[in-house]
Amino acid sequence: MKPPVSPENPTGDDAPKREIGLSLDGDKIDGGAARGVEAIKNALKTMPGSAGVYRMIDDKERVLYVGKAKNLKKRVVAYTRIMQLPIRIARMVAQTVRMEIITTHTEAEALLLESNLIKKLKPRYNILLRDDKSFPYILITEDHDYPRIVKHRGARAKDGSCFGPFASAWAVNNTINHLQRAFLLRSCTDGVFSNRSRPCLLYQIKRCAAPCVDRISKPEYDQLVDICRDFLTGRSQKILKQLEADMMDASEKMEFEQAAMYRDRIRALSQIRSHQDINLEGVEEADVIALHQEGGQSCVQVFFFRSGSNYGNRSYFPRHEQSAEIPEILSAFVGQFYADKPAPKQIFLSHEIEGQELVENALGINNDRKIELLVPKRGGKRKLVEHALTNAKDALGRRLAESATQRKLLEDLADKLDLESTPERIEVYDNSHTQGTNMVGGMVVAGPEGFMKNAYRKFNIKGDIAPGDDFAMMREVLTRRFARAQKEDPDRENGTWPDLCLIDGGLGQLGVAREVLEDLGIEDVMLVGVAKGVDRNAGKEVLHIPGKAPVRLDMKDPVLYFIQRLRDEAHRWAIGTHRAKRGKQMGKSVLDSVPGVGGARKKALLHHFGSARGVADAGLSDLEAVDGISAALARKIYDHFHSND
């Protein structure tokens, strides 16, 4: 099979050749290509012939491409042979004004660095993994005499054992529920635990052993924790057999309550295994990664198998050129996917990938153990891969259908609003506050692929605004949004400028928006105010367009429903942001403003005096008596609360 064309293989056998005089996107590249080639040649003069990573950078200091090489000089020199490059790569060379080089000891280290830089910098010409959200794990804590079992996201916890990943919050919550029924481990916070005087509801429904009120001894609780860890690390069959033996033994001794307890544990653990969609004997720790390509787009389906159980699956849609081939896409995906998360012992792939041995070595370095990349050809493992391929095909089909429907809605919206062209980016604005407090603004973004949640923005209102002045709030939000856009993307090359702005409100809000854009000298952004009708009922919205008569759409018009969805999403985002700010404000303590009092000292003060008011009313000698509070700090605390006495 001929190698696919990419910036890492710019002279592939199938690369389309072209003459220098060919225009690209209406622009001649001769001058730009010559400048780009010259910049690369200048970089080659001091470039080593060792392994490393190179970055191609344009005149605005944006990284165009990140690549790796076993021999930097041999790899990069290929970019100077402009007539042998495919058009896309020639365009990249034409935009290059300089290069940056980082050398590494080995090619595997270069691959790891390349993957991390791609995830961080998101270069235009690289294959990019998108929607890479964090995965939930099960965490058994180790910083308390009685460990708790909880859901965990983010960085791996230092004081605890993490098990996963799980594909969704539902999967991890469901598993924790069954584990609590089986092992009765607590899930409450340490603060709740230390203040209990009687068992909580979880004890009553047999999902906690109530160690908080000594309903179980510490050795017995520790034994349950150890068995739970064993189950989560793959020893499930051994534990189930032991529980069955214990149940039979208790039954023979006529200890029926004890036997019933073992029976309930067996049922709970069996449900964890039986509630999986697909399982395979002998697969304890593996990921299954399958890619389906259609219509110039790709879907990668990832299934997670841990402890002999299927922890769910997730779909990914990497960004790439239509000409990119499956081995190239899959190789880039694997490198970026495991750049910031641990890899399992085995990874089953649907296709062979570029540099498979190199990727294995890189993953091994990153995980301090051997990692195998396998492409099963037959048997149960192949069935797992085919199952993942089917899911990838179905997910891509749904996405293409949704994309087509979304595109049709955007086209109809342009027609109904008499826009010059179909909008590629719609921004919707709304504000939220509670009686003028905790004022925030929200912006949501939608495009041909639906809501673009990574582009959402929130605005904490900072100006000197009268409480509840919605017009002033909208003015501040739009001024900050577009002033920043003018500063960061004045040439509108990054796709961050909207074609259409929907303002939640009537003529007043729309008038404010028009004034803001006029003050900033912006004339080509379409504004539409979405106002509810006289009765403020959904379906009777009036669309206000500057210089035109108001537009009223039929209640059954799909475009009206589409506009309602956009407005409701902006409303949801603004209210959610406001509630988060309000909740944070409510959770603040008067001790937070005391210099030198951090979390540990605040906890000590509250534990000693019982409340923040008690701290404020305390005498100097009382403050000095608190553990961890020095005489100097006690004086600061006392002066803080008594400065006006």
Side-chain angles (χ1 to χ4, degrees):
M1 182 177 69
K2 293 181 179 180
V5 176
S6 72
E8 302 208 356
N9 183 23
T11 56
D13 293 345
D14 297 329
K17 306 297 189 296
R18 61 154 186 80
E19 298 298 328
I20 294 255
L22 187 65
S23 65
L24 298 174
D25 296 336
D27 298 321
K28 295 284 185 180
I29 68 165
D30 299 14
R35 288 191 298 271
V37 169
E38 187 64 27
I40 294 172
K41 285 182 177 179
N42 288 335
L44 282 168
K45 293 176 182 178
T46 57
M47 192 172 296
S50 58
V53 172
Y54 58 92
R55 284 180 280 184
M56 308 182 85
I57 301 171
D58 68 7
D59 58 352
K60 295 181 180 176
E61 291 300 303
R62 295 174 300 195
V63 177
L64 299 170
Y65 180 75
V66 175
K68 69 177 185 309
K70 186 176 182 180
N71 184 311
L72 284 167
K73 202 158 195 171
K74 287 184 178 179
R75 172 63 58 81
V76 174
V77 75
Y79 293 107
T80 63
R81 301 168 188 147
I82 196 69
M83 288 188 295
Q84 299 179 16
L85 299 177
I87 292 176
R88 182 173 69 96
I89 308 310
R91 185 184 299 117
M92 180 181 74
V93 170
Q95 296 173 11
T96 301
V97 298
R98 69 183 184 90
M99 296 186 68
E100 289 184 355
I101 303 298
I102 303 175
T103 59
T104 59
H105 292 95
T106 65
E107 190 180 8
E109 291 179 5
L111 175 60
L112 291 174
L113 179 58
E114 177 200 42
S115 298
N116 280 299
L117 286 175
I118 290 172
K119 287 177 71 70
K120 178 182 179 181
L121 301 174
K122 296 179 173 55
R124 175 181 176 183
Y125 288 93
N126 282 99
I127 294 172
L128 298 180
L129 168 60
R130 298 184 295 181
D131 302 324
D132 188 20
K133 300 174 183 176
S134 64
F135 291 94
Y137 287 77
I138 287 177
L139 170 66
I140 297 181
T141 61
E142 296 175 355
D143 57 351
H144 194 279
D145 288 341
Y146 293 91
R148 56 195 289 247
I149 184 169
V150 291
K151 179 177 69 176
H152 176 74
R153 282 187 187 269
R156 300 297 293 269
K158 295 181 180 179
D159 299 323
S161 303
C162 281
F163 304 92
F166 289 78
S168 66
W170 177 88
V172 74
N173 288 335
N174 185 58
T175 301
I176 288 176
N177 287 340
H178 289 304
L179 289 173
Q180 285 180 305
R181 289 190 176 96
F183 302 115
L184 306 178
L185 302 187
R186 74 179 183 97
S187 59
C188 59
T189 64
D190 294 345
V192 171
F193 179 90
S194 61
N195 289 297
R196 294 297 305 182
S197 59
R198 59 181 180 178
C200 66
L201 178 62
L202 289 178
Y203 174 78
Q204 306 296 334
I205 62 176
K206 298 182 179 179
R207 282 177 52 186
C208 180
C212 54
V213 290
D214 299 324
R215 295 297 174 94
I216 184 173
S217 67
K218 188 175 187 312
E220 290 176 319
Y221 190 85
D222 288 342
Q223 184 180 17
L224 291 176
V225 173
D226 291 339
I227 297 174
C228 184
R229 282 201 188 98
D230 287 343
F231 181 85
L232 289 170
T233 51
R235 303 185 182 94
S236 54
Q237 287 296 337
K238 177 182 176 182
I239 292 171
L240 285 170
K241 289 180 180 178
Q242 182 61 49
L243 289 174
E244 289 173 2
D246 292 342
M247 181 181 67
M248 295 302 296
D249 183 57
S251 180
E252 290 174 359
K253 293 179 180 178
M254 302 186 72
E255 297 174 351
F256 298 119
E257 287 189 9
Q258 192 76 4
M261 180 193 69
Y262 289 128
R263 179 203 62 199
D264 293 341
R265 288 185 184 178
I266 292 170
R267 285 180 179 175
L269 297 179
S270 298
Q271 283 180 326
I272 294 176
R273 297 178 62 84
S274 64
H275 281 189
Q276 315 296 337
D277 295 327
I278 182 172
N279 292 291
L280 181 66
E281 285 294 326
V283 177
E284 289 291 326
E285 182 185 356
D287 286 347
V288 180
I289 302 178
L291 185 149
H292 178 76
Q293 196 172 47
E294 187 177 331
Q297 297 188 43
S298 300
C299 174
V300 179
Q301 194 78 201
V302 184
F303 277 79
F304 306 97
F305 289 86
R306 300 292 186 274
S307 308
S309 297
N310 175 12
Y311 281 1
N313 61 296
R314 188 178 287 188
S315 301
Y316 292 89
F317 301 91
R319 192 192 77 188
H320 58 79
E321 294 288 329
Q322 289 190 354
S323 59
E325 301 288 341
I326 288 179
E328 178 192 3
I329 301 168
L330 202 53
S331 179
F333 177 87
V334 171
Q336 293 177 47
F337 186 74
Y338 294 109
D340 56 358
K341 61 177 68 68
K345 295 177 182 177
Q346 293 181 317
I347 301 172
F348 301 139
L349 303 173
S350 59
H351 301 79
E352 301 284 349
I353 66 172
E354 290 183 351
Q356 186 161 315
E357 184 177 349
L358 173 63
V359 175
E360 283 184 334
N361 292 337
L363 293 178
I365 292 172
N366 218 21
N367 292 271
D368 293 324
R369 62 175 179 175
K370 183 180 179 181
I371 306 295
E372 287 187 293
L373 298 179
L374 305 170
V375 184
K377 303 299 182 183
R378 62 183 68 86
K381 294 176 181 177
R382 183 61 200 176
K383 288 183 179 179
L384 285 181
V385 172
E386 289 175 350
H387 180 73
L389 272 171
T390 299
N391 278 265
K393 182 178 180 180
D394 293 344
L396 183 58
R398 289 192 298 270
R399 186 178 181 87
L400 291 173
E402 291 168 0
S403 179
T405 302
Q406 185 81 356
R407 172 61 67 179
K408 180 66 167 58
L409 283 170
L410 290 172
E411 291 172 352
D412 290 346
L413 176 66
D415 181 59
K416 295 290 173 62
L417 299 182
D418 196 24
L419 304 180
E420 294 182 358
S421 60
T422 302
E424 295 293 323
R425 179 183 171 108
I426 301 174
E427 293 182 357
V428 193
Y429 294 88
D430 193 13
N431 300 323
S432 183
H433 60 87
T434 300
Q435 296 181 346
T437 63
N438 299 307
M439 296 182 291
V440 298
M443 177 189 86
V444 304
V445 184
E449 295 183 357
F451 289 112
M452 302 159 59
K453 296 192 176 182
N454 60 340
Y456 286 15
R457 293 293 180 267
K458 57 185 177 182
F459 302 85
N460 290 314
I461 303 302
K462 302 175 181 177
D464 185 13
I465 294 175
D469 188 343
D470 288 333
F471 292 161
M473 291 171 64
M474 184 62 70
R475 184 184 302 278
E476 178 178 328
V477 168
L478 293 174
T479 300
R480 286 166 57 186
R481 159 69 181 111
F482 285 99
R484 183 172 181 174
Q486 287 179 322
K487 179 181 178 181
E488 296 182 350
D489 188 18
D491 298 328
R492 308 191 184 188
E493 296 179 346
N494 297 335
T496 58
W497 280 77
D499 306 303
L500 171 65
C501 286
L502 297 182
I503 309 298
D504 185 22
L507 288 171
Q509 297 279 29
L510 183 62
V512 169
R514 291 183 64 186
E515 291 174 6
V516 169
L517 296 191
E518 288 174 0
D519 291 343
L520 295 173
I522 300 171
E523 301 176 352
D524 54 351
V525 173
M526 181 71 173
L527 295 172
V528 175
V530 182
K532 291 183 178 179
V534 178
D535 298 326
R536 300 188 62 81
N537 291 329
K540 296 184 179 181
E541 285 80 1
V542 179
L543 307 180
H544 295 285
I545 305 172
K548 298 181 181 180
V551 176
R552 291 178 174 82
L553 300 177
D554 187 272
M555 290 183 63
K556 297 182 179 180
D557 193 324
V559 173
L560 178 59
Y561 177 65
F562 178 53
I563 292 173
Q564 290 171 348
R565 281 177 53 212
L566 295 174
R567 182 202 57 203
D568 292 347
E569 175 67 2
H571 191 56
R572 181 200 66 80
W573 174 249
I575 285 187
T577 303
H578 163 69
R579 286 175 176 168
K581 182 178 181 180
R582 185 180 63 190
K584 186 176 181 181
Q585 186 72 30
M586 291 174 63
K588 285 187 176 181
S589 166
V590 293
L591 298 178
D592 293 334
S593 59
V594 181
V597 176
R601 285 169 174 164
K602 183 169 70 173
K603 184 177 181 180
L605 288 166
L606 291 173
H607 183 75
H608 186 90
F609 293 104
S611 67
R613 175 50 55 191
V615 178
D617 294 340
L620 182 60
S621 59
D622 295 328
L623 292 169
E624 292 176 350
V626 179
D627 290 340
I629 304 298
S630 65
L633 182 57
R635 169 58 66 181
K636 284 184 179 180
I637 298 171
Y638 183 84
D639 290 345
H640 178 82
F641 290 111
H642 297 82
S643 58
N644 296 324
D645 290 355

